[in-house]
Amino acid sequence: MSDLALPTLQTEAKRERSAIGSLRIVQTASILVVALVIVSPLFMLVIASLKDDRFQILADMGSFRAFWVSNPTLSNFAEVSNLSGELAFGRYLLNSLFILACTVGAGLIVNSMAGFVLAWGSLRGRAVVLSLVIALYVIPQESIIMPLVIMVSRAGMTDTFAVQIVPWIASPLYIFLFYQFFAQLPKELFEAAQIDGASVFRIYRSIFLPLSLPALATVSILMGIESWNQYLWPILVTQTDYARPIAVAIATFFGQDSIYWDRAMAASVLMMIPILALYLAFQRWFVSSFIGSAVKG
């Protein structure tokens, strides 16, 4: 190599290192901007929930004062977390927790069993049933909601907890997710259990279900979010406050005469905590499930 080529190579290497450094700075700045955009509404919500003046909350919106509180107070949380009284927001929170626990608990059993049967059962026409399940998934929920309201009304289920749980236990999406997971498990596992004399239900309960933690976590989180955020359905099938969930209760803070921003913000923070706890509890399996799906996809 000549003496003239060596400085040229060193200059090229320096330029390459400089370009890589610039690229990293741009990537870091982009991530920070995206993180700020995502987190800022959440941060503003928490800050607003600690202010005791609903008119000041409204005045601060749209300015940097929305991200600062000089005299934080928990009075809004104490006011909306009552189990009785004018707000009784704590009761709505318990209603939502009960509906979520029953829907997710029953949904995991029903949907996983259906997915297992479609993957390994001896049902005739499994391919047709699977195609029907996938076809049902693409039908918008709103298009069948009115016939469903008439059905539950004729059955005398309106204004109960059951009417908010039973119709949403079985879901084409979650049946398909379980089917996809079970179908990927090795065939030898199923055949070995059959040779040992295990019944189909025992193979499902003792072998396949314990192996499906990522699928169980994914369905738990998705189903929990869906149940927790239900708004239109409870409005249509409940007439009193007896079984109404928290999402409907928050709407009562936005009246025609005035909007109680302070209470609404505190209620929104309380509403966020249980579903966030559910996600954190299953985060490890949820993330691994999505990464596995992405790699296989």
Side-chain angles (χ1 to χ4, degrees):
M1 184 179 294
S2 65
D3 293 340
L4 290 175
L6 188 58
T8 304
L9 289 175
Q10 290 176 340
T11 305
E12 288 296 327
K14 191 180 293 183
R15 285 179 181 171
E16 190 175 342
R17 286 197 296 272
S18 176
I20 293 173
S22 301
L23 181 63
R24 286 178 178 168
I25 291 173
V26 171
Q27 287 177 336
T28 306
S30 302
I31 292 171
L32 285 174
V33 169
V34 172
L36 281 174
V37 170
I38 294 173
V39 173
S40 57
L42 186 62
F43 187 65
M44 188 182 76
L45 171 69
V46 176
I47 291 297
S49 69
L50 299 174
K51 298 178 179 178
D52 60 353
D53 188 343
R54 60 190 169 104
F55 299 106
Q56 188 62 45
I57 292 173
L58 186 60
D60 290 346
M61 286 183 181
S63 70
F64 285 107
R65 288 179 300 178
F67 300 97
W68 175 255
V69 53
S70 53
N71 297 309
T73 175
L74 296 176
S75 60
N76 296 325
F77 292 97
E79 199 168 357
V80 300
S81 59
N82 290 332
L83 292 175
S84 60
E86 183 187 355
L87 296 176
F89 194 79
R91 192 187 66 203
Y92 295 115
L93 190 62
L94 292 178
N95 288 349
S96 283
L97 286 172
F98 179 73
I99 294 167
L100 181 145
C102 293
T103 307
V104 173
L108 289 178
I109 297 171
V110 171
N111 293 310
S112 63
M113 290 179 73
F116 177 78
V117 169
L118 286 174
W120 295 102
S122 56
L123 180 69
R124 281 189 176 183
R126 280 190 302 167
V128 176
V129 176
L130 183 61
S131 301
L132 185 63
V133 168
I134 296 172
L136 287 173
Y137 170 62
V138 301
I139 296 175
Q141 192 181 87
E142 287 74 14
S143 64
I144 61 169
I145 204 162
M146 292 315 297
L148 201 55
V149 169
I150 296 172
M151 287 173 64
V152 298
S153 177
R154 295 280 173 84
M157 294 175 65
T158 52
D159 213 18
T160 63
F161 286 106
V163 75
Q164 299 176 74
I165 297 170
V166 176
W168 311 113
I169 289 176
S171 164
L173 171 63
Y174 306 136
I175 291 174
F176 181 71
L177 286 176
F178 276 114
Y179 160 78
Q180 206 174 23
F181 184 85
F182 287 136
Q184 291 171 355
L185 293 177
K187 185 180 179 182
E188 293 76 13
L189 198 63
F190 187 85
E191 291 176 341
Q194 275 190 320
I195 292 171
D196 287 344
S199 64
V200 173
F201 180 72
R202 188 177 175 189
I203 295 172
Y204 155 77
R205 179 175 57 84
S206 303
I207 301 175
F208 278 64
L209 195 60
L211 291 174
S212 63
L213 274 178
L216 290 169
T218 302
V219 172
S220 295
I221 292 175
L222 295 179
M223 207 169 189
I225 293 172
E226 185 181 2
S227 171
W228 196 255
N229 293 333
Q230 282 277 3
Y231 180 78
L232 178 60
W233 179 250
I235 285 283
L236 293 173
V237 297
T238 59
Q239 284 81 44
T240 67
D241 295 337
Y242 167 70
R244 280 192 163 172
I246 191 171
V248 178
I250 287 181
T252 61
F253 295 130
F254 298 87
Q256 292 182 345
D257 300 328
S258 59
I259 299 175
Y260 296 91
W261 289 106
D262 47 353
R263 299 172 185 176
M265 295 295 181
S268 299
V269 172
L270 288 177
M271 182 179 174
M272 186 174 55
I273 292 173
I275 204 67
L276 192 60
L278 180 68
Y279 170 74
L280 292 176
F282 294 104
Q283 179 193 18
R284 183 159 59 97
W285 298 289
F286 182 70
V287 172
S288 67
S289 174
F290 266 82
I291 291 175
S293 301
V295 171
K296 287 168 186 169

